[in-house]
Amino acid sequence: MMEPQDTIEEDDSPSASAPPSSSSSPPPRALPRQRVSLQKTSVCSRSYFMVVMVFFHVYIINVIALLLYVHYNNGSNAISANRDFTSSDSSSHKVTGASDAQATADSGFPRNMFLPRIEGIRVGHVQKVSLVSGKVHEMKTLSLKPLLFEIPDFLSEEECGVVLRLAQLKGLMESQVMVPEGQEELNQQLNLSPEEIFNFLDLNQDGQLQPHEILTHSRVRDGIWLTSENLKEIYDGLKADLDGNGLLSLEEFGRLRSDAFQRFLLQRGVERSQLVRNSRHTWLYQGQGAHQVLQDLRKRVTLLTRLPSSLVELSEPLQVVRYEQGGHYHAHHDSGPVYPETACTHTRLAANTTSPFQTSCRYITVLFYLNNVQEGGETTFPVADNRTYEEASLIQNDVDLLDTRKHCDKGNLRVKPVKGTAVFWYNYLSDGRGWVGEQDEYSLHGGCVVTRGTKWVANNWINVDPDYQRQARYQLLVSQQESQEQEQPNLDQHIEAHQDL
Ligand code: OGA
Ligand code: CA
Ligand code: FE2
């Protein structure tokens, strides 16, 4: 599954490479001869000195440039926060004005909030972290793409039990509804011609619909997990692929009703195992008044991620998930890509526009395993540390790397669920200036099918808007609301808003 643990200490920085001057200077043995030539050709020795000095300066400039690059890539807090990490002092997570020089915002809010990113160093690297007084945790790097860590014993046995029972007490609901509603209506409202739909589906615009183009669409839109075999059955049943080449041309596609595939599937009946996600879940509020274990957990997550506590506190509640035997969650991203017009669900209050594109902006996922699973149920990262990421090549005819019921064993990395262990990863890269950047496509992951027993996990997502101004406005709005509430307490409303999630 993972590389063996090879270091315990955090300090394993690579030994400094020898400066170029030493490699270009003559070996000590040659000293007497060198002295002779120095006397003979002083011009030559001066130019030699000049060359060495030039090399030396270039080297120094390179080192400075590298340091500046690392500094801005991590955000200035990251460096100091990493050093402080073994202490349990959380002051470095507070929003500070230490970095005013870095970027004064384009307008309005000063850029004084930074998101430190934990350094992975290399796969298998272990760093000690202090999250609970009197205890030291070990955090192991599992992959660099995505930046992914594992922390055994993050929760105690008792804490796992409490979270599990609280979830049961609250009651769990199906994670995905069986039959997606409103598709018919949507089709009618949009009133698209077959040609328009065809062009929309033809991702690579080659005038043919490849199986993966249809499969991706059905999975995203309907939440039904079609396989290549299912698709063949549908093509046969509907006599859609007349020339039998496995592709649909515009002509072949035009003969079908716009909802033909959906009707075919629904008539045949869809089972839970054919959905993208086959589990039940609930949400647990972690703020003031919540069970102490839930509050402690959130504090620990703040220490673990080293993010400002204000960000963690304004994130989604804890999601507790139960997979029965046979349950699974096919490979997915917890949060979508960001385009200039993309809005985040959590900061909608503070957004000026009502964009049709919305994503959950889950910067970090912290996943806790609440029990030991008898068999199966690993978390898979099919493309972790892959050299390249190509969406189309993930779905091949014989192997579909996104399919966690069939092909979990073929992915690059799997984490075995162990009671109390936490894993966490970044769903977005850094923007190089201490804030959230682009989506990290390598963060693709899923829950392998549980072949024996039941699997319980919990998700803590840390929501951050890649638009700094929007996040800042949102936080300001919430703090204004909270101070109003303090004047006229109306706690119920606040708690309800979280429970609705
Ligand atoms: C999730 C998820 C993985 C797992 O809940 O979003 O990816 O192993 N879970 O259950
Ligand atoms: Ca195509
Ligand atoms: Fe997920």
Side-chain angles (χ1 to χ4, degrees):
M1 170 178 69
M2 283 154 265
E3 292 212 346
Q5 161 177 326
D6 54 358
T7 23
I8 300 296
E9 294 305 321
E10 176 155 20
D11 179 22
D12 71 343
S13 56
S15 57
S17 56
S21 55
S22 71
S23 61
S24 50
S25 64
R29 265 187 303 120
L31 255 181
R33 229 190 297 157
Q34 192 193 26
R35 204 178 293 141
V36 173
S37 68
L38 266 176
Q39 284 162 353
K40 268 189 188 167
T41 54
S42 59
V43 177
C44 191
S45 73
R46 198 173 299 144
S47 60
Y48 175 75
F49 176 74
M50 291 292 286
V51 168
V52 169
M53 284 313 283
V54 167
F55 265 108
F56 183 69
H57 280 94
V58 168
Y59 176 74
I60 294 291
I61 290 168
N62 273 334
V63 168
I64 292 172
L66 191 69
L67 285 174
L68 283 172
Y69 173 77
V70 169
H71 175 80
Y72 285 115
N73 220 19
N74 290 329
S76 60
N77 259 4
I79 295 163
S80 59
N82 286 350
R83 302 231 167 95
D84 286 342
F85 197 38
T86 41
S87 81
S88 55
D89 176 5
S90 65
S91 59
S92 58
H93 312 127
K94 295 272 183 303
V95 177
T96 65
S99 39
D100 285 348
Q102 203 276 320
T104 309
D106 322 313
S107 64
F109 298 92
R111 275 295 293 263
N112 60 4
M113 193 159 43
F114 278 90
L115 308 178
R117 271 171 93 88
I118 292 164
E119 285 180 52
I121 313 289
R122 63 188 148 69
V123 173
H125 177 72
V126 177
Q127 24 194 323
K128 289 190 171 172
V129 293
S130 168
L131 308 166
V132 185
S133 65
K135 188 168 165 44
V136 175
H137 285 88
E138 292 193 342
M139 175 168 75
K140 180 153 90 177
T141 306
L142 299 189
S143 72
L144 298 175
K145 284 194 313 183
L147 194 47
L148 166 68
F149 301 92
E150 181 183 55
I151 310 100
D153 299 318
F154 188 85
L155 284 97
S156 67
E157 291 242 348
E158 297 75 54
E159 287 174 324
C160 289
V162 168
V163 176
L164 210 140
R165 279 191 292 276
L166 286 172
Q168 279 172 320
L169 199 69
K170 177 129 191 223
L172 294 100
M173 57 197 161
E174 296 289 355
S175 298
Q176 202 188 319
V177 285
M178 281 291 281
V179 183
E181 291 157 18
Q183 299 297 342
E184 293 275 318
E185 236 174 81
L186 204 67
N187 280 346
Q188 278 163 8
Q189 277 169 7
L190 284 169
N191 199 19
L192 297 173
S193 70
E195 197 169 348
E196 283 170 315
I197 300 175
F198 185 90
N199 284 331
F200 172 74
L201 295 177
D202 184 12
L203 299 174
N204 65 353
Q205 296 290 302
D206 68 346
Q208 304 267 18
L209 293 183
Q210 278 78 8
H212 82 86
E213 288 170 333
I214 303 265
L215 295 179
T216 309
H217 178 68
S218 136
R219 291 170 183 181
V220 172
R221 195 192 75 165
D222 303 336
I224 298 175
W225 193 265
L226 289 184
T227 62
S228 306
E229 296 87 70
N230 294 148
L231 200 59
K232 278 194 206 99
E233 277 172 55
I234 298 177
Y235 284 179
D236 288 348
L238 294 174
K239 299 201 173 26
D241 181 19
L242 294 172
D243 58 10
N245 68 350
L247 312 170
L248 287 191
S249 63
L250 175 58
E251 210 209 323
E252 288 166 333
F253 184 78
R255 279 188 234 269
L256 304 169
R257 286 177 53 133
S258 71
D259 56 352
F261 287 16
Q262 234 182 329
R263 282 168 153 258
F264 183 87
L265 284 170
L266 292 180
Q267 253 172 28
R268 221 192 40 175
V270 181
E271 286 169 18
R272 294 212 60 77
S273 60
Q274 287 177 291
L275 297 180
V276 170
R277 186 179 187 188
N278 179 11
S279 64
R280 294 168 68 83
H281 73 255
T282 191
W283 300 92
L284 298 176
Y285 169 72
Q286 290 180 279
Q288 266 179 17
H291 193 291
Q292 197 55 43
V293 165
L294 297 174
Q295 293 195 46
D296 289 350
L297 198 52
R298 195 167 70 173
K299 282 191 207 120
R300 217 173 294 160
V301 165
T302 310
L303 286 173
L304 176 71
T305 57
R306 303 177 206 171
L307 293 176
S309 48
S310 56
L311 271 179
V312 179
E313 280 159 21
L314 289 174
S315 291
E316 289 165 76
L318 185 75
Q319 187 193 55
V320 184
V321 188
R322 184 177 73 205
Y323 300 89
E324 302 295 345
Q325 189 157 310
H328 71 273
Y329 192 171
H330 287 304
H332 61 279
H333 289 107
D334 280 351
S335 191
V338 277
Y339 304 108
E341 62 284 11
T342 305
C344 295
T345 317
H346 75 289
T347 54
R348 268 200 99 81
L349 260 177
N352 294 329
T353 52
T354 47
S355 166
F357 304 104
Q358 203 184 119
T359 190
S360 47
C361 301
R362 291 163 170 167
Y363 179 49
I364 290 183
T365 301
V366 189
L367 177 74
F368 313 107
Y369 299 108
L370 301 176
N371 75 334
N372 292 313
V373 182
Q374 277 180 288
E375 200 180 280
E378 300 92 341
T379 304
T380 176
F381 293 83
V383 291
D385 283 333
N386 236 33
R387 239 159 23 97
T388 56
Y389 179 91
E390 271 176 72
E391 203 172 337
S393 69
L394 292 172
I395 310 177
Q396 303 286 347
N397 258 347
D398 40 352
V399 178
D400 179 350
L401 282 174
L402 302 176
D403 193 318
T404 60
R405 297 188 71 83
K406 283 197 183 140
H407 300 300
C408 249
D409 54 329
K410 300 182 187 71
N412 289 353
L413 177 74
R414 275 177 309 288
V415 184
K416 187 180 152 69
V418 173
K419 188 175 188 175
T421 292
V423 283
F424 89 96
W425 65 89
Y426 294 81
N427 294 305
Y428 292 87
L429 302 168
S430 163
D431 70 346
R433 301 186 302 138
W435 202 249
V436 181
E438 279 177 37
Q439 184 196 30
D440 186 350
E441 292 170 318
Y442 294 89
S443 64
L444 186 75
H445 64 279
C448 304
V449 64
V450 176
T451 40
R452 209 143 56 90
T454 307
K455 172 183 168 190
W456 284 90
V457 296
N459 284 301
N460 248 156
W461 284 296
I462 319 287
N463 308 101
V464 185
D465 196 322
D467 181 334
Y468 180 86
Q469 293 296 315
R470 243 176 10 206
Q471 180 72 35
R473 268 204 308 278
Y474 169 64
Q475 292 195 202
L476 191 70
L477 260 168
V478 174
S479 65
Q480 281 168 353
Q481 245 175 25
E482 275 171 1
S483 57
Q484 268 174 18
E485 266 173 32
Q486 266 170 9
E487 283 161 28
Q488 308 160 304
N490 193 358
L491 261 173
D492 292 351
Q493 217 177 354
H494 194 65
I495 293 171
E496 263 166 32
H498 280 283
Q499 286 176 336
D500 282 347
L501 269 161

